[in-house]
Amino acid sequence: MKNYQRYRKGYYMPPVIALEWLRKEHPEKAPTWCSVDLRDGNQALIIPMSLEEKIEFYKLLVNVGFKEIEVGFPAASDTEFQFLRYLVDHDLIPEDVTVQVLTQAREHIIRKTFEALKGVKNAIVHVYNSTSVAQREQVFRKSKKEIKEIAVEGAKLLKDLTEEAGANYRFEYSPESFTGTEPEYALEVCNAVLDVWQPTPDHKAIINIPVTVEMSMPHIYGMQVAYISQNLKYRDAVELSLHPHNDRGCGVADCELGLLAGADRIEGTLFGNGERTGNADIVTVAMNLFALGIDPKLDFSNMPAIVEVYERVTRMNVHVRQPYAGELVFAAFSGSHQDAIAKGMKWIEEKDPEHWTVPYLYIDPKDVGREYDGGVIRINSQSGKGGVGYLMEQKYGLVMPKKMREDFSYYIKDVSDHRHQELLPDEIHDLFMQEYVNVESPMKLIDFLLKKEPDGVRAGEVHFEIDGKPLTFSARGNGRFDAISNAIQKNVGVAYTFGSYSEHAIDVGSTSRAMAYVSVADKEGKTVWGAGMDTDIITASAMALVSAINRMGNA
């Protein structure tokens, strides 16, 4: 590919750091989460959310469990300003929720931000300025000293205005474009800001290390975070925060390595919506912790409802393969995968183990509000007998014999292949009922009356309708099923060998129905299956036999 020579690494390696954090398997607990959907996410939408949509999204975030929510950039527009005022005026900020507002380190913008905060009890004022080499040289054309002074003056104004307001706001500082900044210089600026704020363990400041643009592999960012964490002043009085973007597709990895490296907090968006390629996907980061046995402190147990609100108010789509939330992330089309999942589900049901270990399913879909039926096992031309059989058993209570499952699965694969589409569970059930159950052409079983004789033999009459013509045959056999079979072979002129038989109830109670499965082999030895359903098990068995014979003639 041409032009690769134009690019070079735009990041800076930190000085020597302690690397013990790399030996950790995972964080010990969930970080503090801060949703920036209403600011960072909203500004990335083609059509920004209306006031009503932002309110609905805000309420969703509160219900999910976010305790810190960035509600906007109040000085950026009247809409942003009015949204915060609406939350205040309508008492929509719970006692345990802190709203966060963003402001550049510029005096008039900071003052406008504080106007919007009047009446807010719990707030984080997040101030930032760019510190990267490219921004210093190309945008601001200022020296390191001058850039640091912007940050310090902004920090002072935050402190002064908070004291004037008699408020107890918390402060956050971001060296924007951190990933393109020399780590030593970023540390110097952050420490200068902290010297102004003088945080304490009881009133912590937040230092946010943003991946404004991803420039390196995630382990480099991890080392940059570790360097800041290990050298930051007032460390026990600082929450070290991450704000990764996703330019290299590594936003989640940046979060995970940053947490190992010492970070305490993550700013991101649901499903990763944000500028350019997006922000860190909080759903994925949180659910990754969940899947490692760590309580994420966020509730995604009804993921479909969360997706519905998100897609409606943002006009964005959650991709069908989006981790944990996509429509198809738990779906298995492959026959071998379906078979393993079906067997794993059965094993879990029988053994009730302490931990989830089903093959191909990283977590239990029910933990995020997804159902197995039609969600995990998906049927198309690639599917196998295990998947079709599992679906029919779990959703419809139909426990076909193993060989019949195989026969039916080939039939379904052929239908799906010719239609060039996936088959939904109800379609598959309908096809089974139409093709295998109570097949009445050309021969239809009308009724039978078979009495037990002194020698134990059953004898009597069987009534049929064949090609529309009513016929009655004498029947005799060791049982009613045998008698009906003998009557057919003697009078209808069809030759077959009886194969296998099984039955079960498919409902509970006085109106329960029985399902019977029968296989027969024609004179060439080809096996054909039929099924019968009735409230009477003998009738169901006879209808299954008739279905198999009819299908044998239609094969």
Side-chain angles (χ1 to χ4, degrees):
M1 185 171 176
K2 295 180 180 178
N3 296 328
Y4 69 90
Q5 302 95 334
R6 296 180 61 197
Y7 303 99
R8 61 173 180 81
K9 65 177 187 178
Y11 59 88
Y12 298 86
M13 288 289 289
V16 177
I17 56 172
L19 296 176
E20 288 82 359
W21 57 275
L22 284 171
R23 299 183 61 83
K24 295 181 182 178
E25 290 189 35
H26 53 69
E28 295 179 1
K29 62 179 182 178
T32 300
W33 305 103
C34 178
S35 163
V36 295
D37 288 273
L38 299 173
R39 196 275 305 169
D40 211 338
N42 187 55
Q43 73 183 32
L45 298 175
I46 296 173
I47 303 174
M49 288 180 277
S50 66
L51 176 62
E52 293 76 16
E53 289 168 336
K54 290 187 77 171
I55 291 167
E56 183 176 4
F57 203 154
Y58 168 82
K59 290 179 178 179
L60 171 67
L61 295 170
V62 171
N63 289 336
V64 165
F66 283 95
K67 301 304 179 186
E68 296 181 5
I69 301 173
E70 189 169 84
V71 294
F73 198 139
S77 70
D78 186 60
T79 301
E80 296 279 287
F81 187 96
Q82 292 303 324
F83 173 60
L84 177 53
R85 295 313 310 162
Y86 186 95
L87 297 181
V88 176
D89 296 340
H90 290 79
D91 196 25
L92 292 177
I93 305 174
E95 286 290 322
D96 62 344
V97 171
T98 300
V99 294
Q100 179 170 302
V101 291
L102 184 69
T103 177
Q104 291 176 330
R106 300 170 66 185
E107 182 176 353
H108 71 285
I109 295 178
I110 292 173
R111 290 188 181 277
K112 181 74 171 179
T113 301
F114 272 78
E115 288 179 30
L117 283 170
K118 289 179 181 177
V120 177
K121 181 178 179 181
N122 298 317
I124 296 169
V125 186
H126 182 183
V127 64
Y128 74 94
N129 68 307
S130 293
T131 58
S132 69
V133 174
Q135 295 269 26
R136 296 195 313 257
E137 292 178 348
Q138 300 172 33
V139 180
F140 300 108
R141 301 193 178 189
K142 293 183 180 293
S143 66
K144 286 183 175 181
K145 181 180 179 181
E146 291 171 311
I147 293 294
K148 182 172 74 172
E149 190 60 27
I150 292 173
V152 169
E153 290 303 315
K156 289 178 180 177
L157 187 55
L158 257 62
K159 187 174 182 180
D160 291 343
L161 292 177
T162 299
E163 291 175 354
E164 287 178 17
N168 194 34
Y169 301 145
R170 294 178 63 200
F171 304 139
E172 176 176 352
Y173 173 71
S174 288
E176 192 201 7
S177 301
F178 167 82
T179 43
T181 304
E182 308 91 330
E184 301 93 325
Y185 176 62
L187 177 68
E188 179 185 335
V189 176
C190 291
N191 280 335
V193 168
L194 292 173
D195 282 336
V196 173
W197 289 340
Q198 296 287 310
T200 67
D202 294 329
H203 193 70
K204 292 185 177 183
I206 300 170
I207 293 295
N208 189 55
I209 307 300
V211 184
T212 308
V213 179
E214 277 194 315
M215 295 181 173
S216 68
M217 290 185 173
H219 73 292
I220 301 296
Y221 178 62
M223 288 193 285
Q224 292 169 336
V225 172
Y227 172 75
I228 298 295
S229 179
Q230 293 170 21
N231 293 279
L232 203 61
K233 297 172 71 173
Y234 313 93
R235 185 63 184 90
D236 63 342
V238 172
E239 266 198 295
L240 187 59
S241 178
L242 311 177
H243 185 119
H245 280 247
N246 201 42
D247 302 84
R248 291 171 50 90
C250 299
V252 169
D254 285 338
C255 285
E256 295 188 329
L257 281 170
L259 288 175
L260 291 180
D264 311 297
R265 181 178 184 268
I266 288 177
E267 296 184 348
T269 60
L270 297 182
F271 312 118
N273 175 48
E275 291 284 12
R276 307 182 309 278
T277 55
N279 285 50
D281 178 348
I282 284 185
V283 171
T284 299
V285 179
M287 288 304 303
N288 282 354
L289 293 176
F290 176 84
L292 291 172
I294 300 167
D295 184 357
K297 303 298 184 182
L298 294 174
D299 184 2
F300 296 118
S301 59
N302 192 354
M303 194 73 77
I306 295 170
V307 170
E308 189 279 324
V309 173
Y310 170 83
E311 291 189 328
R312 177 163 45 79
V313 303
T314 67
R315 289 162 284 276
M316 300 284 285
N317 293 317
V318 173
H319 194 276
V320 295
R321 299 294 182 187
Q322 181 94 354
Y324 302 104
E327 182 184 355
L328 298 181
V329 295
F330 299 113
F333 291 99
S334 161
S336 62
H337 287 206
Q338 291 176 347
D339 184 62
I341 290 172
K343 289 174 179 175
M345 295 284 204
K346 189 75 172 177
W347 190 88
I348 289 283
E349 183 180 334
E350 292 173 352
K351 304 295 184 181
D352 191 25
E354 181 180 358
H355 298 109
W356 178 262
T357 58
V358 173
Y360 299 111
L361 290 181
Y362 186 40
I363 66 167
D364 185 343
K366 287 190 174 182
D367 285 335
V368 288
R370 299 283 294 276
E371 292 297 324
Y372 301 140
D373 301 338
V376 174
I377 303 296
R378 303 284 290 263
I379 306 301
N380 63 14
S381 60
Q382 305 300 307
S383 304
K385 60 182 182 295
V388 174
Y390 178 82
L391 184 64
M392 294 293 281
E393 180 175 350
Q394 292 296 311
K395 191 169 179 65
Y396 305 103
L398 302 178
V399 188
M400 288 179 274
K402 182 178 179 181
K403 290 294 184 180
M404 188 178 188
R405 289 201 306 268
E406 184 175 338
D407 183 82
F408 181 53
S409 71
Y410 283 124
Y411 172 71
I412 291 299
K413 284 160 67 82
D414 186 61
V415 172
S416 177
D417 192 33
H418 280 84
R419 291 187 186 179
H420 300 290
Q421 66 182 40
E422 176 189 1
L423 298 179
L424 300 177
D426 285 349
E427 292 179 291
I428 296 167
H429 179 258
D430 290 345
L431 286 168
F432 178 71
M433 299 299 291
Q434 294 165 18
E435 178 66 20
Y436 288 82
V437 181
N438 296 354
V439 180
E440 298 181 339
S441 179
M443 180 168 53
K444 179 180 180 179
L445 177 65
I446 302 299
D447 199 1
F448 56 87
L449 180 60
L450 300 165
K451 295 182 179 181
K452 189 174 184 179
E453 297 188 339
D455 60 358
V457 172
R458 291 278 180 173
E461 293 183 337
V462 185
H463 304 282
F464 291 98
E465 188 177 280
I466 301 178
D467 292 327
K469 181 180 179 181
L471 294 170
T472 299
F473 303 133
S474 296
R476 186 179 180 83
N478 292 328
R480 283 173 289 190
F481 181 83
D482 185 52
I484 294 169
S485 178
N486 290 338
I488 293 172
Q489 295 210 58
K490 179 179 179 181
N491 296 283
V492 179
V494 58
Y496 62 85
T497 302
F498 178 73
S500 65
Y501 167 82
S502 67
E503 65 184 50
H504 64 80
I506 54 176
D507 292 314
V508 178
S510 59
T511 60
S512 65
R513 295 170 296 168
M515 180 67 79
Y517 311 97
V518 169
S519 71
V520 297
D522 62 17
K523 57 186 177 181
E524 280 81 31
K526 180 183 177 181
T527 298
V528 180
W529 286 89
M533 184 172 68
D534 195 82
T535 54
D536 174 64
I537 186 58
I538 299 301
T539 302
S541 303
M543 295 178 80
L545 175 63
V546 171
S547 295
I549 294 169
N550 283 331
R551 294 190 72 245
M552 183 174 66
N554 295 331

